[in-house]
Structure formats: structure tokens, C-alpha cells
């Protein structure tokens, strides 16, 4: 299961609307717990693919290293990635699968239809290596708790 706060959920969906008709992408920082990945912070990333930004996404390696450092400073880990599918369903593509290398991470995809965010799905990358890795559908739990929302707002 992927657990995320309501503000983070709204923010990652809004990111996809902002970059429409291009894909957005970003990193999910948090903690991997026995019941799933808990997101504490989302980090926007620049989409470095210029050849076909509407159906490809990529996070530059140096940007990822920076994000990893940022996570460590906060006492968090990278627990997932997100991107958008402009005018395509919120399902992973063969390219998404080929480019997913972080076993145990959640890969979140938001479908953006005509500039509006519709469905957001998460897929957990399981397995032990590149040969036996696979994506599993993963439920997304959104914390709607008022106290948590206020706390989140107070931080940003
Ligand atoms: Zn994709």
C-alpha cells in the first residue's frame, strides 16, 4: 500500500495538469514500513526528455543524486516516483517498466485528460533483480485527517 497525505496527493496531480500536454515527473520521499510506502514529501523533477516529452519521462541522474541527498538530510528514503500520462490511461507502459529499476518503490501514474487529472494509480515494483522484477497494482491510501492537513500546510 502507498500512503500519502491529501496535500501531497493534490500536489502531484496538479503537477501533471501544469505540464500538460507534457509529462511531469517527481520523486516520493518517505519511509518504507511493513504495511507499505509512506510518503512524507514529494519533490518535483524537471522532465529532461525533450525528444518526446508527452510520452516519455526521465529524471536526470544528477538530479536524482541531489534528491537522494535531500532525503537523507530529512531522515527519509526515496520510496517512489510519479509521472503523468497526458491523454492516456493511468497504466504503466512497456517503457515505464523497462525504466523502473528501484525494487520496493512505488510508481505512481496520473492520467491527465484534456488538462485535467483523472485517475491516479500506484504500482509496486517487486522482485529481486532486473530479470524477475514485476509491477503489482498497489492500493493508494490518502490521509484526509484534518490535523495532518494542517500540519502539512504549516510546513510548506
Ligand atoms: Zn508512463
Amino acid at each position: 500500500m502507498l500512503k500519502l497525505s491529501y496535500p501531497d496527493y493534490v500536489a502531484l496531480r496538479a503537477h501533471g495538469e501544469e505540464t500538460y500536454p507534457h509529462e511531469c515527473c517527481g520523486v516520493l520521499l518517505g519511509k518504507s514500513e511493513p504495511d507499505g510506502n509512506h510518503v512524507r514529501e514529494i519533490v518535483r523533477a524537471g522532465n529532461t526528455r525533450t525528444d518526446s516529452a508527452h510520452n516519455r519521462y526521465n529524471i536526470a541522474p544528477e538530479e536524482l543524486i541531489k534528491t537522494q541527498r535531500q532525503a537523507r538530510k530529512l531522515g527519509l528514503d526515496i520510496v517512489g516516483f510519479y509521472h503523468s500520462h497526458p491523454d492516456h490511461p493511468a497504466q504503466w507502459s512497456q517503457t515505464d517498466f523497462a525504466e523502473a529499476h528501484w525494487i520496493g518503490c512505488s510508481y505512481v501514474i496520473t492520467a491527465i485528460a484534456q488538462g485535467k487529472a483523472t485517475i491516479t494509480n500506484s504500482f509496486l515494483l517487486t522482485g529481486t533483480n532486473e530479470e524477475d522484477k514485476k509491477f503489482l497494482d498497489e492500493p493508494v491510501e490518502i490521509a484526509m485527517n484534518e490535523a495532518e492537513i494542517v500540519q502539512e500546510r504549516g510546513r510548506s
Side-chain angles (χ1 to χ4, degrees):
M1 175 177 343
L2 178 71
K3 283 195 180 179
L4 127 137
S5 74
Y6 183 68
D8 283 345
Y9 175 75
V10 168
L12 74 81
R13 286 164 58 84
H15 191 192
E17 292 180 344
E18 280 171 38
T19 59
Y20 181 88
H22 301 296
E23 287 197 5
C24 71
C25 59
V27 185
L28 307 174
L29 307 186
K31 281 284 171 195
S32 197
E33 306 283 357
D35 66 337
N37 290 325
H38 295 206
V39 178
R40 303 272 173 74
E41 195 92 39
I42 68 168
V43 180
R44 289 182 172 206
N47 194 335
T48 59
R49 297 286 294 241
T50 48
D51 51 340
S52 146
H54 60 283
N55 58 12
R56 293 276 191 278
Y57 76 103
N58 190 29
I59 298 170
E62 54 274 20
E63 195 172 3
L64 199 52
I65 290 166
K66 221 180 84 191
T67 306
Q68 231 167 344
R69 253 189 239 125
Q70 187 183 343
R72 224 168 289 145
K73 234 180 268 172
L74 296 165
L76 303 173
D77 301 308
I78 291 176
V79 295
F81 300 91
Y82 71 88
H83 72 284
S84 62
H85 279 180
D87 297 320
H88 277 282
Q91 289 295 326
W92 52 271
S93 66
Q94 282 309 320
T95 309
D96 291 337
F97 182 67
E99 291 179 356
H101 308 296
W102 293 57
I103 306 281
C105 271
S106 299
Y107 287 79
V108 175
I109 299 173
T110 299
I112 311 290
Q114 313 279 315
K116 288 297 286 175
T118 57
I119 295 167
T120 298
N121 285 327
S122 184
F123 305 95
L124 181 66
L125 190 68
T126 61
T128 54
N129 57 43
E130 281 295 309
E131 280 65 54
D132 73 353
K133 69 176 183 181
K134 62 172 187 264
F135 270 141
L136 293 183
D137 291 0
E138 177 181 52
V140 179
E141 190 183 294
I142 299 146
M144 297 286 279
N145 179 317
E146 263 312 306
E148 275 193 68
I149 292 170
V150 170
Q151 193 191 350
E152 280 288 329
R153 284 206 187 117
R155 273 190 341 187
S156 50

